[in-house]
Amino acid sequence: MSTKQVVSSLYRRSLKLSLDWAVHRYLWRGQAMYIRSLFEANKNIKDPRQQRALFQEAEAELEKWKHPDPYHAPTAPGGSKFERNLPSPILTPPTEIVK
């Protein structure tokens, strides 16, 4: 993966992780701005070794702050409404009735 893809992935995962911990969206916004400032502070680092070290540090932080019960959208797999009220399957009646 390119550096841009790795950074984008880390940024998105950190935002989603902070959303798991936030009770309300307006509280999450402040956390999102803080995360953005952390990424902006390191955007001018060009040395691949330093970048790898930062990536490893960020991965470790994400693993450390992983939520024990992350949020799932209700209709997504693992959500509370997943496959609820599915339409009943259309069954063909038997052709012969056994007596």
Side-chain angles (χ1 to χ4, degrees):
M1 286 175 54
S2 70
T3 304
K4 184 177 181 179
Q5 290 172 328
V6 172
V7 171
S8 296
S9 172
L10 281 172
Y11 183 65
R12 288 187 65 212
R13 287 188 294 151
S14 60
L15 288 177
K16 287 181 181 182
L17 180 65
S18 67
L19 192 55
D20 286 343
W21 288 99
V23 178
H24 298 290
R25 194 72 147 186
Y26 66 89
L27 297 174
W28 172 79
R29 180 70 180 137
Q31 294 173 350
M33 290 171 54
Y34 174 70
I35 291 169
R36 178 65 184 235
S37 70
L38 293 176
F39 276 82
E40 289 287 331
N42 293 316
K43 76 176 185 179
N44 293 325
I45 295 177
K46 303 294 183 202
D47 182 30
R49 289 182 188 156
Q50 287 180 335
Q51 288 176 345
R52 275 195 301 272
L54 285 172
F55 296 157
Q56 290 171 352
E57 182 183 333
E59 290 285 350
E61 285 292 318
L62 286 176
E63 192 61 35
K64 181 177 119 181
W65 285 100
K66 196 173 196 178
H67 199 282
D69 187 22
Y71 174 78
H72 297 286
T75 55
S80 60
K81 288 178 141 181
F82 184 64
E83 293 187 344
R84 186 186 291 179
N85 300 327
L86 289 176
S88 59
I90 299 174
L91 301 174
T92 57
T95 56
E96 299 178 11
I97 299 178
V98 179
K99 292 185 180 184

